[in-house]
Amino acid sequence: MAYDLVVIGTGPGGYVCAIRAAQLGLKTAVVEKDKTFGGTCLNVGCIPSKALLHASELYEEAGHSFGKMGIKVGAPALDLPAMMKFKDEGVDGNVKGVAFLLKKNKVDAFQGTGRIMAPGKIEVKAADGKTETVETKNIVIATGSDVARLKGITIDEKRIVSSTGALVLPKVPAKLLVVGAGVIGLELGSVWRRLGSQVLVVEFLDRILPGMDLDVARNFQRILQKQGMTFKLSSKVTAIDSSGAALKASVEPAAGGTPETIEADVALIAIGRVPYTEGLGLDGVDVKRDNRGRVAVDAHLATNVPGIYAIGDVIAGPMLAHKGEDEGVAAAEIIAGRAGHVNYDVIPNVVYTYPEVASVGKSEEELKAAGIAYNTGKFPFTANGRAKVNMQTDGFVKILADAKTDRVLGVHILGPDAGNMIAEAAVAMEFGASSEDIARTCHAHPTLTEAIKEAAMAVEKRSIHM
Ligand SMILES: Cc1cc2nc3c(=O)[nH]c(=O)nc-3n(C[C@H](O)[C@H](O)[C@H](O)COP(=O)(O)OP(=O)(O)OC[C@H]3O[C@@H](n4cnc5c(N)ncnc54)[C@H](O)[C@@H]3O)c2cc1C
């Protein structure tokens, strides 16, 4: 039987695309090579990492701030296997939820590795080697990404781990070396620091969180240092010797120079992710890729081959679950003859540490590079009543607005619950708000969101509580 659409991969891009297509009346199927649906995000990414971040944050709070609020508990004790079980149950609930949604929407599922034989023809090879051919009018490639590797360093997922291994460590490493100060390195570094590891982060660049607003990144680094994380910036790990009881990493200045040896029990390689297209047969059907191996698509998410589309981590853009989801919806709508669209200027980016870091739109560096004149409004959480009473005053909100039109161009939040609060900024920007629009919108008191309103007022130097 021929389908209207077959989606290869069931991460947040793929499963959302399939559900939207089914809603629009397309006969739809998915192909998934793993045992469970949900891709990187649900199985070894967003969901398990957030479970461990949540649990480890409460563990740290129980040890540090409960007493100050008059809650007397003994020193918290860590039961790591139980914490891992809590995380695994969260993953299980989420992946089962995707299976339920696919079924509910009458999306057929093929278990196995999908290979595009020709436009409209996919061979699915199951784990036992059996193959079947699926025919379809359209194909969406949603095969996601894989861990980027460091030349000469073998990830064994036991002592030299990727994020996947770092989510299942059987005991707390005394010394954890994190290679890469991006989102994943800082999130998982935070988890293990809270649980008792000494964490050193080595970063090639002279700053953490490359791509995010520099002012935010510098302030965030200071906070992480106060928490006990240490950093070695402008440095590179060139080799890791795993022959002895302790790992011995060679670390040298990024520009080259004398290497030093740093010992660790576990090394987490978190230098980024690369598009995953292995076994898909793209060369056989001449689907073009860009110079970084990503599937090349046009503004309608179409590849150069008619009837083949691509979405999510396997194409250009931020490797984020919600970006893939929005592309999934857009691709389904385009295939169904509607006007699907993704606004790449308004994609929030969140680091789920404590405090959280969240941003949407342009950073100051991007605005300067583009020669766009802007005004800045900044408001610290030390001046926000709710943050003060909760003893969570680290960080600030910063709003960047066009100097001529006052249109909001970027919002950056370093602070408690920043990941939830950034949604307000995204909605405002999607509607083309000015900073004055936000400043004149009534915000409930006492909430952390008042800091957003105050930052908007600060654009015109009229914040009340500063
Ligand atoms: C530790 C970690 C934490 C993260 N945290 C966040 C976060 O908090 N927020 C956020 O937005 N993003 C986060 N991400 C990123 C997020 O996981 C990805 O952006 C997202 O999963 C990409 O979705 P996708 O659908 O493009 O691909 P994926 O989720 O990678 O899914 C691709 C799927 O395709 C399948 N597949 C591949 N090839 C084939 C084939 N030939 N045949 C059949 N199936 C195939 C794979 O098995 C997989 O299930 C995190 C990532 C990691 C590693």
Side-chain angles (χ1 to χ4, degrees), residues 147-438:
V147 171
R149 282 148 217 277
L150 261 178
K151 221 173 130 200
I153 296 176
T154 308
I155 292 175
D156 61 17
E157 297 296 14
K158 291 203 161 55
R159 292 204 296 161
I160 303 179
V161 298
S162 71
S163 53
T164 304
L167 290 167
V168 292
L169 292 179
K171 68 173 206 209
V172 179
K175 283 187 181 169
L176 174 68
L177 170 68
V178 178
V179 187
V183 180
I184 292 176
L186 298 182
E187 286 188 354
L188 293 175
S190 285
V191 165
W192 291 106
R193 184 201 55 73
R194 292 167 186 166
L195 300 183
S197 297
Q198 243 181 57
V199 177
L200 168 69
V201 183
V202 175
E203 166 60 47
F204 185 82
L205 299 175
D206 61 358
R207 53 162 299 173
I208 67 167
L209 290 181
M212 283 187 115
D213 190 90
L214 186 57
D215 170 31
V216 170
R218 290 231 166 100
N219 279 283
F220 181 47
Q221 185 184 339
R222 252 176 254 137
I223 295 170
L224 291 175
Q225 282 168 186
K226 264 200 275 167
Q227 294 172 357
M229 209 180 259
T230 47
F231 291 89
K232 216 172 190 4
L233 303 182
S234 305
S235 301
K236 59 183 175 190
V237 174
T238 53
I240 301 178
D241 175 2
S242 57
S243 59
L247 297 173
K248 289 194 168 71
S250 303
V251 182
E252 60 182 68
T258 321
E260 63 174 312
T261 302
I262 291 176
E263 292 202 354
D265 300 288
V266 172
L268 162 60
I269 311 297
I271 56 164
R273 296 183 62 83
V274 289
Y276 183 81
T277 55
E278 223 176 279
L280 251 186
L282 295 187
D283 289 331
V285 279
D286 278 336
V287 169
K288 283 209 180 95
R289 268 141 295 157
D290 67 15
N291 56 354
R292 289 164 68 180
R294 301 173 296 199
V295 176
V297 292
D298 65 13
H300 296 106
L301 301 160
T303 69
N304 59 308
V305 178
I308 303 182
Y309 300 77
I311 57 171
D313 278 11
V314 80
I315 68 169
M319 287 182 162
L320 293 169
H322 41 282
K323 175 258 194 190
E325 289 184 40
D326 284 8
E327 287 174 343
V329 168
E333 291 178 346
I334 289 164
I335 291 166
R338 299 197 177 198
H341 175 70
V342 177
N343 180 2
Y344 289 99
D345 289 334
V346 184
I347 294 184
N349 199 351
V350 180
V351 190
Y352 296 85
T353 42
Y354 183 82
E356 291 184 344
V357 186
S359 70
V360 61
K362 301 277 187 261
S363 65
E364 290 204 51
E365 293 70 45
E366 284 171 324
L367 292 175
K368 281 178 193 149
I372 298 169
Y374 62 94
N375 292 325
T376 306
K378 211 166 167 181
F379 190 81
F381 283 105
T382 45
N384 172 273
R386 185 67 180 275
K388 274 204 284 207
V389 76
N390 285 358
M391 296 185 303
Q392 295 186 316
T393 52
D394 278 331
F396 55 83
V397 178
K398 181 165 77 173
I399 295 186
L400 308 173
D402 190 289
K404 275 200 213 101
T405 64
D406 192 35
R407 188 182 178 131
V408 176
L409 302 174
V411 177
H412 305 274
I413 308 177
L414 169 62
D417 216 21
N420 280 322
M421 289 199 288
I422 202 69
E424 169 184 345
V427 172
M429 288 177 67
E430 196 64 58
F431 280 78
S434 62
S435 78
E436 189 177 356
D437 289 327
I438 298 177

Side-chain angles (χ1 to χ4, degrees), residues 41 54 67 71 92 118 140 153 234 243 320 336 343 423 441:
C41 177
H54 178 62
I71 306 168
D92 190 53
V140 169
I153 296 176
S234 305
S243 59
L320 293 169
N343 180 2
T441 300

